[in-house]
Amino acid sequence: MVKEQTLDCTIREAIPDDAEAVIDLLNRTATQTGFMTQGEEGLGITVEEEAEELDKIYHSDNNTILLAVVDGQVIGIASIHASSKPKIRHIGDIGIVIDKDYWGMGLGRLMMEDLIDWAQESEVIKRLQLQVQHRNTRGRALYESLGFDLEAIMKYGVKDAGEYLDVCQMSRLVL
């Protein structure tokens, strides 16, 4: 018998006061899986620097950071990062990380759907793109189910534990 697990989770936009919790999550998840580009070295920024960055993002029309919060603890982050340069400010790079203790509960899908909704409402973002390690089959399947197409495979796109791995470039238009 499979026991279903329910979770009381809030997804909301990040604010500067979330800086310490964001850093904590990113440092905590950095070594939970080999899928992250960050490792044991940690994020390497101060709470003040992160708060400043979160404030800029909060007031931007083409950037966002969404947080998944359970019992007051940040357990997931999903973001769209876009340039301020006029010729490419319509392109949003997606990043997402969820604490491994909360994998398999549908949070990745929920957060990705919220990012896509945000992009559609932004009226600025017209292209979403992301990079995912080829070996991350669960992540690739999620992105494909949400309309992302494989554009390229970058050979030796990342090095993890001494091994060079392929990375997939995926994108989706926001119409």
Side-chain angles (χ1 to χ4, degrees):
M1 183 170 110
V2 176
K3 183 179 177 185
E4 264 191 51
Q5 194 170 7
T6 58
L7 187 66
D8 186 13
C9 179
T10 301
I11 297 178
R12 62 171 176 80
E13 200 165 1
I15 58 172
D17 288 346
D18 295 315
E20 187 172 0
V22 166
I23 290 171
D24 288 347
L25 174 70
L26 293 175
N27 286 336
R28 186 170 70 246
T29 58
T31 57
Q32 288 181 345
T33 173
F35 299 150
M36 300 282 289
T37 53
Q38 177 182 300
E40 291 179 3
E41 72 278 2
L43 201 54
I45 64 170
T46 67
V47 171
E48 293 77 20
E49 290 168 331
E50 181 66 14
E52 194 174 303
E53 184 65 19
L54 289 175
D55 186 59
K56 282 188 229 173
I57 291 168
Y58 184 79
H59 290 97
S60 169
D61 65 351
N62 66 341
N63 292 273
T64 192
I65 295 181
L66 302 179
L67 303 179
V69 182
V70 173
D71 295 328
Q73 181 180 14
V74 175
I75 56 99
I77 298 174
S79 64
I80 294 176
H81 176 75
S83 175
S84 60
K85 296 177 181 178
K87 290 184 178 183
I88 57 171
R89 71 185 309 272
H90 67 284
I91 301 170
D93 288 302
I94 289 182
I96 185 166
V97 61
I98 296 173
D99 188 306
K100 197 171 186 176
D101 290 343
Y102 296 90
W103 285 10
M105 297 180 187
L107 286 176
R109 174 172 297 281
L110 188 59
M111 294 188 84
M112 287 294 295
E113 289 171 346
D114 284 354
L115 283 180
I116 292 166
D117 289 345
W118 184 91
Q120 290 170 331
E121 292 172 13
S122 79
E123 297 183 11
V124 176
I125 301 296
K126 300 299 178 196
R127 173 188 165 90
L128 292 172
Q129 60 188 26
L130 57 87
Q131 293 181 347
V132 59
Q133 288 182 25
H134 187 269
R135 67 182 178 171
N136 185 350
T137 55
R138 289 177 65 220
R140 288 188 2 243
L142 170 64
Y143 305 139
E144 287 171 4
S145 75
L146 293 169
F148 284 80
D149 294 317
L150 177 65
E151 292 188 327
I153 296 178
M154 297 178 290
K155 300 290 184 187
Y156 283 42
V158 69
K159 183 179 180 183
D160 184 39
E163 182 181 2
Y164 291 97
L165 304 166
D166 295 344
V167 173
C168 300
Q169 173 74 34
M170 301 180 80
S171 73
R172 169 198 164 123
L173 297 182
V174 178
L175 305 174

